[in-house]
Amino acid sequence: MCFPLIFCGWMLFSLIFAFGDVAVNHTTTLFVNHGQSAKIRCNYNPTNDTESMTAVLQTLNLSLCSYYFYDNTWKTHHCKDPVRFIGIPETNDITFELLNLQVQDTGTYTCTVKRIVKPPQVDLGVQRVQVIVRPVLLLSCVKRPDGSTMILCSVEFYPDSLEQLWIRDGDVLNSSYSNKSFNGSFSQQSYLLLPPQTFSDTIYSCWVNHSSLNKPLVANLSSSVCYESEGVTVIVTVVFVMLTVALTVFLITLVICKHYRRTRQQSVSPVGVIFTPEPVLHDPLQSEILYSTLGDHHPVPCSLAVVHSFA
């Protein structure tokens, strides 16, 4: 009889402890991609005697956005740019929206709703949400100073915990070299040197696993893409050189032609000649036209006078 009672008591204590632990440490997890947004809905118990209350969103000890409710209206106290507040008094809904999330924004956010009037102050609800921004993975073709081709696997992540592998046809490869830096979030670059170009096309994969992921990330890149980009670069360089040479030859030819024309003109007219128009001579015997000021204004020709001599 005692054993069943002890067993039942232990089970009841375990259930109470388990449910209490869940109630205290319960956290909702949101998985979002880089650049997207996440909505944190604040769960709380509204009361009929609440005249004024506050809603605060914070992470660790940093307050991100706070609003206070008074006269049936939500008013801002302070709020950072990446955060937007949505409060609907009719439905008692309170939501904080995190905009344009970056990898370094990964963390736990807490929404606290508190009644401040009527006193005393009472916590109406505390909601914790863990926001996980998935790492950003990018593959690209790069060139070494000696002209050899490499594939670059660049990963941005937070917090500092990352596994990265190169895979070719199921085989794990060693990267040529890698480096890691920190600027608000961690960034790691891993390079893989490609062999000389062959007729076969090979698929290379960059495999990444991180503590914020529910499964690893894999990005693939074909070797032909890097070799094609190399060929395009060579063609563009050759075309640019040819155009430069053609333009140079054209400009030189133009200068030579102008110089030749100027030399030829100077050889034909070595001395400049100034032509002065001859003056127009009037005949003294030319008839003149006289105008009368009387009657009709008709010109009256006036001939030269003839003088007769009387012997």
Side-chain angles (χ1 to χ4, degrees):
M1 294 295 293
C2 183
F3 179 78
L5 291 176
I6 296 176
F7 178 78
C8 292
W10 179 83
M11 289 295 297
L12 181 60
F13 176 79
S14 300
L15 289 174
I16 293 174
F17 178 79
F19 281 116
D21 185 67
V22 170
V24 172
N25 297 319
H26 174 69
T27 301
T28 304
T29 303
L30 296 178
F31 292 91
V32 297
N33 292 324
H34 177 86
Q36 292 184 346
S37 61
K39 290 185 177 181
I40 300 176
R41 188 174 182 273
C42 305
N43 294 325
Y44 72 103
N45 297 318
T47 58
N48 295 329
D49 59 347
T50 299
E51 296 180 4
S52 180
M53 60 183 176
T54 60
V56 179
L57 179 70
Q58 61 183 19
T59 174
L60 296 179
N61 296 322
L62 178 62
S63 177
L64 300 178
C65 189
S66 64
Y67 271 70
Y68 66 92
F69 182 78
Y70 180 72
D71 195 18
N72 203 33
T73 303
W74 283 103
K75 298 180 180 179
T76 179
H77 180 254
H78 81 277
C79 199
K80 295 183 179 296
D81 289 338
V83 183
R84 183 171 63 180
F85 175 81
I86 304 173
I88 305 176
E90 293 77 12
T91 58
N92 296 320
D93 287 339
I94 301 175
T95 304
F96 289 96
E97 186 175 11
L98 306 176
L99 305 174
N100 190 24
L101 286 169
Q102 305 298 309
V103 175
Q104 61 268 23
D105 295 327
T106 295
T108 301
Y109 296 81
T110 303
C111 174
T112 303
V113 181
K114 181 179 295 187
R115 186 190 68 186
I116 57 178
V117 177
K118 301 176 178 180
Q121 295 186 10
V122 178
D123 287 341
L124 301 180
V126 178
Q127 176 71 30
R128 292 183 178 87
V129 178
Q130 185 180 14
V131 177
I132 297 178
V133 184
R134 295 184 176 92
V136 180
L137 176 61
L138 178 64
L139 280 181
S140 59
C141 303
V142 295
K143 281 288 188 180
R144 294 181 63 181
D146 60 1
S148 56
T149 304
M150 295 189 302
I151 299 180
L152 167 64
C153 179
S154 179
V155 189
E156 185 182 358
F157 56 96
Y158 188 88
D160 187 12
S161 175
L162 182 76
E163 298 178 78
Q164 189 269 330
L165 296 173
W166 285 102
I167 301 175
R168 181 188 62 193
D169 298 332
D171 297 329
V172 178
L173 307 175
N174 294 324
S175 62
S176 301
Y177 61 93
S178 61
N179 59 75
K180 184 170 64 175
S181 59
F182 177 78
N183 185 17
S185 62
F186 292 94
S187 179
Q188 178 172 310
Q189 294 81 30
S190 179
Y191 298 86
L192 182 66
L193 181 63
L194 294 182
Q197 184 177 6
T198 59
F199 293 102
S200 61
D201 186 16
T202 305
I203 302 298
Y204 292 89
S205 302
C206 182
W207 180 92
V208 169
N209 196 14
H210 187 253
S211 59
S212 64
L213 296 174
N214 51 4
K215 64 178 181 178
L217 294 178
V218 180
N220 302 318
L221 183 64
S222 172
S223 60
S224 61
V225 174
C226 296
Y227 295 132
E228 288 174 1
S229 62
E230 178 182 355
V232 171
T233 303
V234 172
I235 293 175
V236 171
T237 304
V238 172
V239 172
F240 176 76
V241 172
M242 293 178 63
L243 290 176
T244 304
V245 173
L247 181 61
T248 304
V249 172
F250 173 76
L251 293 176
I252 294 175
T253 305
L254 185 62
V255 172
I256 294 175
C257 290
K258 287 185 176 181
H259 180 73
Y260 174 76
R261 292 177 181 176
R262 185 178 301 174
T263 304
R264 185 176 180 183
Q265 290 176 358
Q266 292 178 355
S267 63
V268 172
S269 301
V271 179
V273 180
I274 300 176
F275 295 94
T276 303
E278 296 182 358
V280 178
L281 301 178
H282 298 280
D283 188 357
L285 299 180
Q286 182 177 1
S287 299
E288 296 180 357
I289 303 298
L290 299 179
Y291 293 88
S292 174
T293 59
L294 299 176
D296 296 336
H297 301 284
H298 298 288
V300 179
C302 181
S303 60
L304 296 176
V306 179
V307 179
H308 298 278
S309 60
F310 298 92

